[in-house]
Amino acid sequence: MNWGMIGAGLVMGIAAMGSAIGIGIAGQGAIGAWKRCYLNNKPAPFLLVVFAGAPLTQTIYGFLLMNSMKSKVIASQLDPLFSLGLGLAAGLAMCMSAIAQGKAGAAGSDALAETGKGFTNYIMVVGLCETVALFAMVFGMIA
């Protein structure tokens, strides 16, 4: 059994699970905000799609790290058990980043739809959540 390749696969799968959960959370916030706009005869801001889709990027980061890990495992530059641990740890970091980003996106959707103001501030918080996944990817590639 090649534990290194399992670790590479895990980083992708776990990151994608986080993206799915985060998108679900942010999407619920966006849909609820749009509903309130419709009920109040206010224009529904299409910009809320940005919040709903933001957690998708963690899947891309998981894919990129998976490919980096696979090539290092094939070239025997990465210990198989280390690769397994790296895949689990980096995948979970990306997963939690996506979930946090979904929650921030849901709150941003609610606030923007209600006030029509503050998009830049809200997207900065969403971006901070994203940074955790970026760090996990880059540090994992350097390992």
Side-chain angles (χ1 to χ4, degrees):
M1 180 170 290
N2 190 336
W3 293 107
M5 288 302 226
I6 292 171
L10 282 173
V11 73
M12 169 68 195
I14 295 170
M17 285 188 271
S19 287
I21 294 167
I23 289 168
I25 293 167
Q28 289 175 27
I31 289 169
W34 282 324
K35 179 189 80 172
R36 272 197 325 281
C37 287
Y38 296 137
L39 287 172
N40 294 320
N41 292 317
K42 289 174 54 177
F46 183 75
L47 205 51
L48 302 187
V49 172
V50 172
F51 293 125
L56 185 59
T57 55
Q58 279 79 345
T59 299
I60 297 167
Y61 304 147
F63 176 75
L64 293 172
L65 182 53
M66 176 189 70
N67 283 333
S68 173
M69 289 173 66
K70 275 178 34 182
S71 63
K72 288 179 181 179
V73 167
I74 290 169
S76 298
Q77 295 173 337
L78 198 58
D79 177 81
L81 289 179
F82 177 78
S83 180
L84 177 63
L86 178 61
L88 280 170
L92 286 171
M94 292 178 197
C95 177
M96 297 310 295
S97 167
I99 293 169
Q101 196 172 47
K103 291 178 178 183
S109 289
D110 179 55
L112 184 64
E114 190 166 327
T115 66
K117 299 175 184 176
F119 176 76
T120 305
N121 295 335
Y122 310 144
I123 203 70
M124 281 192 298
V125 174
V126 169
L128 288 171
C129 298
E130 178 98 8
T131 304
V132 173
L134 280 167
F135 285 163
M137 179 190 71
V138 171
F139 297 157
M141 287 178 166
I142 292 170

